[in-house]
Amino acid sequence: APGAARPGTKRLPRAIVVGVKKGGTRAVLEFIRVHPDVRALGTEPHFFDRNYHRGLEWYRSLMPRTLDSQITVEKTPSYFVTKEAPRRIFNMSRDTKLIVVVRNPVTRAISDYTQTLSKKPDIPTFEGLTFRNRSLGLVDTSWNAIRIGMYAVHLESWLQYFPLSQIHFVSGEKLITDPAGEMGKVQDFLGIKRVITDKHFYFNKTKGFPCLKKSESSGLPRCLGKSKGRTHVQIDPEVIEQLRDFYRPYNIKFYETVGQDFRWE
C-alpha cells in the first residue's frame, strides 16, 4: 500500500567485505547485491575502524531492511589493515563471514598510488614513496600503499579470532577474467543459491573489466564508476622488480596460510 513501511528488519551484517583497498571490493559488492537473497549497504560505514564509538545500534540503523531469508552485507576495505577490527567484529558476532578480495600487491600498490595522485597531483613520485633507500633496496613499509599488500602480516590478526573456514579469499585477477566463477564461489561461501552466473556479465573493452548486464533497479547495463579502471602511472620496470622481490616472501607465506596459490610470481 502507498505510504506503508518497507517490509523487513534492519539487521547487523552476517557477512562483511573487509578488504582490501584497490583489490576489487566494489565489484564484489555490486555483483553480489544482484542476488535476491542479499541486501547490501552501498556506502562504506567504516564502523569497525573510525565510527566504533557510535555503537552497534547506530551501525544497525545504517543497514538496509531484510527479510528473514536475506543476508545483510557491508564493505569497508580498510578493516583488513585495522588492528582492532577482528576483535570488534568477533564481539559483534563470532559467526560473521568475512570476504577478502586480494590482488597482486605490486599492481595494487600502483593502483592505490594512481588513485591518490588523481586527488593530490603534487605528491612525491611512486619511487620516492616506495623506498627508504633505493640503492640498498630498502622498502618503506610505513607507506600505506606498500603496507596493505603485506597480506600475510594482516591476516595473522584475523586468525586470532576467526577460523580460515569463515574467511573467503577472492582473486582480484580472476574477478576480471572469470567474474561468474569467482562469484559462484562467493555465493557458495555465503550459503546461497548460485543465481549470479555468466549471463549476468559482459566484458567492457574500454574499461578493461566485466560489467553487469543489468542492475537490480534500472534494467540498464551497469559498470563501476569513473574512478575504476584508471590508467595506471608508468613505473620503472626495475622498481617493479624490486617490489616483486620484496613481496615474494609475504606472498608465499600468504599462499601457504590460506592454501591457495594466487600466482603473483
Side-chain angles (χ1 to χ4, degrees), residues 35-204:
H35 200 294
D37 295 340
V38 173
R39 299 282 288 127
L41 179 64
T43 52
E44 295 174 7
H46 283 280
F47 176 63
F48 296 104
D49 55 357
R50 298 180 203 157
N51 292 310
Y52 197 62
H53 60 282
R54 294 174 182 247
L56 275 175
E57 283 314 306
W58 174 83
Y59 183 49
R60 186 200 301 270
S61 74
L62 302 176
M63 297 301 152
R65 292 181 179 279
T66 50
L67 305 172
D68 291 346
S69 58
Q70 293 175 316
I71 297 172
T72 304
V73 179
E74 77 112 316
K75 99 161 169 101
T76 306
S78 50
Y79 291 162
F80 190 64
V81 297
T82 301
K83 259 286 183 240
E84 304 77 25
R87 176 178 51 80
R88 288 170 172 177
I89 293 172
F90 179 83
N91 287 342
M92 173 184 75
S93 168
R94 58 178 57 195
D95 299 323
T96 309
K97 293 189 172 191
L98 307 166
I99 296 171
V100 185
V101 191
V102 286
R103 78 194 273 206
N104 185 319
V106 180
T107 324
R108 199 220 66 80
I110 296 168
S111 179
D112 200 334
Y113 176 78
T114 303
Q115 183 180 38
T116 308
L117 190 66
S118 73
K119 295 173 187 168
K120 303 177 187 167
D122 51 352
I123 56 167
T125 63
F126 182 80
E127 287 162 39
L129 292 165
T130 295
F131 297 103
R132 279 188 295 139
N133 183 322
R134 190 178 162 189
S135 55
L136 295 176
L138 290 177
V139 171
D140 188 351
T141 56
S142 72
W143 183 32
N144 224 16
I146 295 295
R147 201 173 62 85
I148 291 171
M150 298 157 67
Y151 305 138
V153 174
H154 306 298
L155 185 58
E156 282 174 15
S157 310
W158 293 89
L159 294 177
Q160 286 172 16
Y161 292 91
F162 295 96
L164 266 177
S165 59
Q166 256 169 267
I167 311 175
H168 179 70
F169 299 92
V170 175
S171 158
E173 285 81 16
K174 280 194 186 153
L175 198 58
I176 293 171
T177 57
D178 179 21
E182 280 302 288
M183 293 312 295
K185 291 181 213 162
V186 171
Q187 291 168 93
D188 293 349
F189 172 68
L190 294 175
I192 54 180
K193 204 174 153 213
R194 283 197 178 203
V195 170
I196 303 160
T197 59
D198 277 331
K199 67 176 189 293
H200 285 85
F201 300 99
Y202 73 96
F203 193 79
N204 183 312

